[in-house]
Amino acid sequence: MTDRKTQLAGNLAQVEQRIAAACAAAGRGREEVTLIVVTKTYPASDVRILSELGVRHVAENRDQDAAPKAAACADLPLKWHFVGQLQTNKVRSVVGYADFVQSVDRSRLVGALSKEAERAGREVGCLVQVALDAGASGRGERGGVGPDGIEELADLVARAPGLRLDGLMTVAPLTGPYAGREQAAFGRLMDLSTDLRRAHPAATMVSAGMSADLEQAVAAGATHVRVGTAVLGVRPRLG
Ligand SMILES: *Cc1c(COP(=O)(O)O)cnc(C)c1O
């Protein structure tokens, strides 16, 4: 193995062990939690190595980086998740490679995604991004819609041609009442997911937890964890 492959294999094994231990502690089966490796800022060569090591889900947060990377990895059996704030003028490009968009947080974006998905003849899985630190505006600083806005957006996605409503996503808030209380934040997301599933039983994905807090997310009931740093290393710049 190359040095990089050895390194990634070791990191991946550690993350796998953490997820397995968190599942065991929560009395959950390991197969209930899917690992998504966040490859943002890292090259396509790393994505290729991860695929060789058995990773099947990767995530990106900037279309400029993601589009060429996804094109370079089009031969690999990967599912691509888009997890960043998404401008409508990037939607056509994102729909070209993303199997899931986890950052759906406003009606205009739903309209644009639907239009481009139909045009491309693709079905895009959508998660409503929930901002648990949403202020009076009903929006989070890093994207996301406040809990009061979920239902309307979810209904819109569910009715939109080319889109499939898959669930909810959140990032643990750095400010507000949930700051530093990851497990409580993820528990709140689970309650919101329970509410959502009354009207949309198939929207079962709960995407929460990153390198620093994946254990709390698994304990709360997350179905998907998004891990970057713990697999690929500390990013050279903020991404
Ligand atoms: C970067 C990122 C992650 C991964 O964060 P790490 O701390 O590197 O594990 C997860 N989710 C989103 C939305 C991200 O932007």
Side-chain angles (χ1 to χ4, degrees):
M1 285 207 270
T2 62
D3 286 354
R4 185 58 171 159
K5 190 167 185 179
T6 305
Q7 185 181 39
L8 292 182
N11 292 349
L12 211 48
Q14 277 182 16
V15 168
E16 180 51 45
Q17 210 164 50
R18 285 176 61 191
I19 297 172
C23 286
R28 304 181 64 195
R30 170 64 190 88
E31 73 287 351
E32 292 177 45
V33 179
T34 300
L35 169 65
I36 303 170
V37 178
V38 183
T39 49
K40 64 189 182 194
T41 77
Y42 286 94
S45 54
D46 280 352
V47 177
R48 193 161 286 278
I49 292 171
L50 290 168
S51 178
E52 288 167 9
L53 293 170
V55 169
R56 289 296 169 262
H57 293 263
V58 294
E60 290 282 329
N61 74 334
R62 291 183 46 179
D63 177 61
Q64 300 92 300
D65 299 334
K69 222 183 283 186
C73 296
D75 58 313
L76 303 176
L78 294 170
K79 297 288 185 197
W80 291 79
H81 297 249
F82 192 85
V83 299
Q85 291 188 46
L86 180 52
Q87 297 165 295
T88 47
N89 65 351
K90 303 282 196 236
V91 165
R92 180 170 296 187
S93 172
V94 168
V95 164
Y97 56 85
D99 299 285
F100 299 88
V101 173
Q102 298 204 3
S103 44
V104 175
D105 62 358
R106 58 198 192 282
S107 52
R108 255 193 89 203
L109 188 53
V110 176
L113 283 165
S114 174
K115 182 175 148 224
E116 294 301 336
E118 275 220 286
R119 190 179 158 276
R122 286 176 61 102
E123 184 176 69
V124 178
C126 292
L127 282 75
V128 174
Q129 182 181 347
V130 181
L132 294 169
D133 57 353
S137 67
R139 312 194 48 81
E141 281 190 19
R142 291 173 298 165
V145 66
D148 292 344
I150 296 172
E151 188 180 348
E152 187 186 344
L153 265 185
D155 290 347
L156 208 57
V157 170
R159 284 198 304 268
L163 306 184
R164 185 182 66 240
L165 179 68
D166 281 338
L168 300 179
M169 180 272 255
T170 204
V171 179
L174 298 173
T175 60
Y178 288 108
R181 301 172 56 225
E182 290 83 8
Q183 183 129 9
F186 298 145
R188 175 87 170 109
L189 186 72
M190 282 308 300
D191 290 343
L192 294 167
S193 167
T194 302
D195 291 345
L196 176 73
R197 280 177 280 131
R198 277 195 259 279
H200 303 283
T204 55
M205 285 176 67
V206 180
S207 174
M210 319 200 299
S211 293
D213 53 21
L214 72 87
E215 282 84 1
Q216 288 93 329
V218 171
T223 63
H224 291 70
V225 293
R226 311 178 307 269
V227 180
T229 309
V231 172
L232 288 144
V234 176
R235 286 179 291 277
R237 58 183 168 78
L238 223 83

